[in-house]
Every structure is written in structure tokens, then in C-alpha cells.
Amino acid sequence: MNQQRQAHFLDAIPFEPDLPGLIKRLRIRPESAEEREFSQLLDTSREIARPRAVFLTAYITSQGENWVEVAGYRFDSRVLRVNLDGVYRVFPYLATCGMELQSWGDRLTATSGDPLLQYWVEAIKEAALFHAVRAVTDQINQLAVPGKTASMSPGSLADWPIEQQRVLFALFGPEEQRAGICLTESMLMVPTKSVSGIRFPTAVDFESCQLCPREDCPGRRAPYDSALYESRYCATTGLTE
Ligand code: SF4
């Protein structure tokens, strides 16, 4: 099975948070005492944070109508199967803000109990996760040239339920767990600011949000397209055997 996958570790990702951007996003008044407090907090976090990521180059080993097997691990999703039609190599990935920042934030918020501090800490963890995701996406895109890539994550659509996180984590062996991400019984990832998914080469732009009708989602990356499932993913769509 090892010949069907190779691991790549990114454990020296620089954390250079955008202070003005964060201040604007958190609606902190410029030149205020709050701004100075937040700036000090960010400086401390910069010393501590170790965002990390790990990804695999892995090969499709089998496929059916509504499932696809990657390096021997079966994923049940019609949308993933159609998106991977004609693709032979994919890039499963895990990215995280890092356990160092998680522990630092847990200690701070447990001792202070201040909801504003908790909000700021979560924003800093998100910024570190953003750095990890950007780093892993850049690395994968370099390997996947020429052409573009897209990503899907278990749980982002009803078609690919969150329980499939177990399969994704099983695909990453114990060695790859050195990225420091754990999956709990309830399918939550720890550190809490972590993401998982499979990135793949694609000829057409794809975001799960195109198939997700959820309204007022702050994370939406593309408009909902109510006709897309029918036109691209329904059972009558022709697939490669
Ligand atoms: S719209 Fe929101 S909930 Fe739906 S897939 Fe996109 S990010 Fe996820």
C-alpha cells in the first residue's frame, strides 16, 4: 500500500499574521488601548505558533458509481467520484494551527474567562490555520502543474458525510500524525482550528459551496448553483469505468 502513497510534511511554516487586517476584521478601534492589548497578544502568539500541514500524493486504486478508493481506502461520495473521474493522482491533506497555539489559547481563556479574549484567541488560531492551508495548497499546486486544483472535505456536503473523516484519518498512517491533529469520537479535530480534505486536479472550477444551499454562511466561497447537481452529478452522468 505504501507504493500508492507518499507523505510530505510542512512543519516549518512561518506565521506572519496581518495585524491591520485582523484589527479591521475584529472591529478593534485603531490607536485604542484594545489595539495595543491585541497587538501584544499577537506578538506573543507569533513566538508560540507552529502551524503545520501534511499531505500525501496518493493514487486511485478502484472506483464505482458512488465511491472511489484512494490507496486502498474507500470514500463514499458521488460528488467526489464524479470530480475524480479521469484523475489518477490526488492529494489528501491535513492542516492545523498547531497544538502549541491550541494549548496557549486554552490556558489563557481558562484563567481569564473573558469572552473577548476568547474571541481574539480564536481569530489568531484561524490566522495560523490560514497560513498552514495556504502553504499546503501552494505545495500541492506546484506538484500538480500544469492545471488547476480543487478540494473537498468530509462533512462539507450531505453527499460526503462527516463520518468519512475516519477513513481519511486512516489513510494518514501513524507517522503522518506527527502533524499533531487528532480526531475525536464525535469527528471533531483537535486542535480545533484544523482542516482535512482531498485536493485534486480539475479542468473545471469547483467549490462544495456551489452544491450547498445553506443561507448566510460566513464561509461561503462560491454562490449556490441549484442546477449543478442535476447537470454534473446525477446518476445518469456518464463516468469512466
Ligand atoms: S456554504 Fe458554508 S457550509 Fe456550505 S459548503 Fe460552503 S462553507 Fe460549507
Side-chain angles (χ1 to χ4, degrees):
M1 202 164 284
N2 281 347
Q3 289 157 348
Q4 294 157 1
R5 57 193 278 292
Q6 184 189 358
H8 311 258
F9 297 95
L10 284 71
D11 42 21
I13 300 169
F15 180 44
E16 288 150 5
D18 166 20
L19 175 62
L22 279 166
I23 283 175
K24 193 170 169 198
R25 206 186 110 210
L26 298 172
R27 300 181 188 201
I28 296 172
R29 208 154 28 87
E31 313 283 324
S32 64
E34 274 193 344
E35 184 188 333
R36 285 188 290 281
E37 206 183 319
F38 180 76
S39 176
Q40 279 171 7
L41 192 70
L42 198 60
D43 283 345
T44 308
S45 75
R46 200 182 285 122
E47 302 293 317
I48 293 164
R50 277 199 63 200
R52 292 185 190 80
V54 55
F55 73 95
L56 307 176
T57 45
Y59 293 88
I60 307 290
T61 43
S62 189
Q63 57 198 9
E65 240 183 64
N66 300 321
W67 58 271
V68 59
E69 201 181 80
V70 176
Y73 290 84
R74 175 173 159 155
F75 295 100
D76 292 295
S77 160
R78 170 73 182 174
V79 176
L80 183 66
R81 165 65 179 99
V82 173
N83 281 344
L84 297 188
D85 198 36
V87 170
Y88 71 98
R89 185 178 61 158
V90 295
F91 307 96
Y93 64 89
L94 304 172
T96 179
C97 70
M99 207 57 216
E100 295 79 2
L101 213 51
Q102 173 82 35
S103 304
W104 167 77
D106 288 350
R107 276 195 307 275
L108 263 186
T109 51
T111 48
S112 115
D114 177 356
L116 181 62
L117 180 63
Q118 191 167 358
Y119 180 54
W120 286 357
V121 164
E122 290 304 305
I124 292 171
K125 283 162 60 184
E126 260 173 40
L129 172 61
F130 172 80
H131 280 68
V133 171
R134 188 175 56 187
V136 75
T137 305
D138 286 351
Q139 286 281 315
I140 292 171
N141 285 343
Q142 278 177 30
L143 280 178
V145 286
K148 59 178 117 182
T149 64
S151 173
M152 283 186 68
S153 299
S156 57
L157 295 171
D159 167 84
W160 197 19
I162 190 71
E163 288 73 22
Q164 291 261 295
Q165 282 276 46
R166 282 203 192 93
V167 188
L168 188 57
F169 270 73
L171 173 58
F172 285 91
E175 194 207 343
E176 285 94 74
Q177 298 302 333
R178 86 179 196 208
I181 307 176
C182 303
L183 187 66
T184 67
E185 282 296 310
S186 52
M187 301 297 127
L188 288 175
M189 287 182 278
V190 180
T192 49
K193 296 299 177 191
S194 300
V195 293
S196 65
I198 297 181
R199 186 160 281 279
F200 49 89
T202 180
V204 292
D205 290 323
F206 174 80
E207 289 284 357
S208 295
C209 307
Q210 292 172 280
L211 296 169
C212 174
R214 184 172 153 186
E215 289 176 9
D216 302 326
C217 173
R220 181 171 285 287
R221 297 176 299 277
Y224 173 52
D225 181 345
S226 59
L228 184 63
Y229 190 89
E230 187 71 18
S231 63
R232 198 188 289 171
Y233 299 100
C234 77
T236 54
T237 310
L239 287 173
T240 308
E241 286 301 311

mmCIF file of all heavy atoms in Angstrom, residues 23 42 64 73 132 149 180 191 193 196 216 239:
data_model
loop_
_atom_site.group_PDB
_atom_site.id
_atom_site.type_symbol
_atom_site.label_atom_id
_atom_site.label_comp_id
_atom_site.label_asym_id
_atom_site.label_seq_id
_atom_site.Cartn_x
_atom_site.Cartn_y
_atom_site.Cartn_z
ATOM 1 N N ILE A 23 -7.121 43.540 12.921
ATOM 2 C CA ILE A 23 -7.745 44.628 13.689
ATOM 3 C C ILE A 23 -9.044 45.083 13.012
ATOM 4 O O ILE A 23 -10.071 45.304 13.669
ATOM 5 C CB ILE A 23 -6.743 45.784 13.849
ATOM 6 C CG1 ILE A 23 -5.739 45.395 14.936
ATOM 7 C CG2 ILE A 23 -7.430 47.099 14.199
ATOM 8 C CD1 ILE A 23 -4.627 46.356 15.138
ATOM 9 N N LEU A 42 -0.901 39.224 19.930
ATOM 10 C CA LEU A 42 -0.456 38.674 18.634
ATOM 11 C C LEU A 42 1.056 38.448 18.633
ATOM 12 O O LEU A 42 1.541 37.439 18.110
ATOM 13 C CB LEU A 42 -0.861 39.638 17.519
ATOM 14 C CG LEU A 42 -0.884 39.072 16.101
ATOM 15 C CD1 LEU A 42 -1.867 37.920 15.974
ATOM 16 C CD2 LEU A 42 -1.230 40.156 15.090
ATOM 17 N N GLY A 64 -16.285 2.998 -8.107
ATOM 18 C CA GLY A 64 -17.605 2.531 -8.508
ATOM 19 C C GLY A 64 -18.452 3.730 -8.880
ATOM 20 O O GLY A 64 -17.926 4.809 -9.135
ATOM 21 N N TYR A 73 -8.200 2.886 0.342
ATOM 22 C CA TYR A 73 -9.192 3.372 1.319
ATOM 23 C C TYR A 73 -10.399 3.924 0.564
ATOM 24 O O TYR A 73 -10.253 4.824 -0.271
ATOM 25 C CB TYR A 73 -8.587 4.450 2.221
ATOM 26 C CG TYR A 73 -7.555 3.875 3.162
ATOM 27 C CD1 TYR A 73 -6.241 3.689 2.752
ATOM 28 C CD2 TYR A 73 -7.920 3.483 4.448
ATOM 29 C CE1 TYR A 73 -5.296 3.129 3.606
ATOM 30 C CE2 TYR A 73 -6.984 2.928 5.311
ATOM 31 C CZ TYR A 73 -5.679 2.753 4.883
ATOM 32 O OH TYR A 73 -4.760 2.192 5.720
ATOM 33 N N ALA A 132 -1.251 27.692 7.330
ATOM 34 C CA ALA A 132 -0.997 26.272 7.056
ATOM 35 C C ALA A 132 -1.714 25.825 5.778
ATOM 36 O O ALA A 132 -1.136 25.116 4.946
ATOM 37 C CB ALA A 132 -1.446 25.424 8.245
ATOM 38 N N THR A 149 -6.398 23.021 -9.396
ATOM 39 C CA THR A 149 -6.857 22.010 -8.445
ATOM 40 C C THR A 149 -8.074 22.535 -7.688
ATOM 41 O O THR A 149 -8.322 23.740 -7.657
ATOM 42 C CB THR A 149 -5.758 21.647 -7.413
ATOM 43 O OG1 THR A 149 -5.457 22.809 -6.630
ATOM 44 C CG2 THR A 149 -4.497 21.126 -8.075
ATOM 45 N N GLY A 180 0.166 16.371 14.353
ATOM 46 C CA GLY A 180 -0.411 16.679 15.659
ATOM 47 C C GLY A 180 -1.901 16.927 15.631
ATOM 48 O O GLY A 180 -2.426 17.644 16.475
ATOM 49 N N PRO A 191 -6.083 20.088 17.225
ATOM 50 C CA PRO A 191 -6.602 21.415 17.545
ATOM 51 C C PRO A 191 -7.899 21.742 16.790
ATOM 52 O O PRO A 191 -8.112 21.279 15.673
ATOM 53 C CB PRO A 191 -5.475 22.354 17.096
ATOM 54 C CG PRO A 191 -4.248 21.517 17.034
ATOM 55 C CD PRO A 191 -4.704 20.133 16.711
ATOM 56 N N LYS A 193 -8.814 24.419 15.353
ATOM 57 C CA LYS A 193 -8.627 25.103 14.070
ATOM 58 C C LYS A 193 -7.742 24.224 13.191
ATOM 59 O O LYS A 193 -6.516 24.411 13.083
ATOM 60 C CB LYS A 193 -8.010 26.490 14.265
ATOM 61 C CG LYS A 193 -8.893 27.443 15.050
ATOM 62 C CD LYS A 193 -10.223 27.705 14.380
ATOM 63 C CE LYS A 193 -11.110 28.613 15.218
ATOM 64 N NZ LYS A 193 -12.487 28.684 14.726
ATOM 65 N N SER A 196 -9.227 19.196 7.026
ATOM 66 C CA SER A 196 -8.797 17.992 6.319
ATOM 67 C C SER A 196 -9.514 17.963 4.984
ATOM 68 O O SER A 196 -10.568 18.583 4.826
ATOM 69 C CB SER A 196 -9.187 16.757 7.132
ATOM 70 O OG SER A 196 -10.599 16.674 7.199
ATOM 71 N N ASP A 216 -26.720 32.469 4.456
ATOM 72 C CA ASP A 216 -25.969 33.296 5.416
ATOM 73 C C ASP A 216 -24.750 32.586 6.000
ATOM 74 O O ASP A 216 -24.453 32.726 7.191
ATOM 75 C CB ASP A 216 -26.877 33.754 6.573
ATOM 76 C CG ASP A 216 -28.079 34.529 6.064
ATOM 77 O OD1 ASP A 216 -27.913 35.238 5.060
ATOM 78 O OD2 ASP A 216 -29.168 34.391 6.650
ATOM 79 N N LEU A 239 -19.753 8.140 -16.667
ATOM 80 C CA LEU A 239 -18.495 8.092 -15.915
ATOM 81 C C LEU A 239 -17.540 7.117 -16.592
ATOM 82 O O LEU A 239 -17.962 6.150 -17.220
ATOM 83 C CB LEU A 239 -18.743 7.604 -14.488
ATOM 84 C CG LEU A 239 -19.430 8.564 -13.518
ATOM 85 C CD1 LEU A 239 -19.727 7.848 -12.222
ATOM 86 C CD2 LEU A 239 -18.564 9.778 -13.271
#
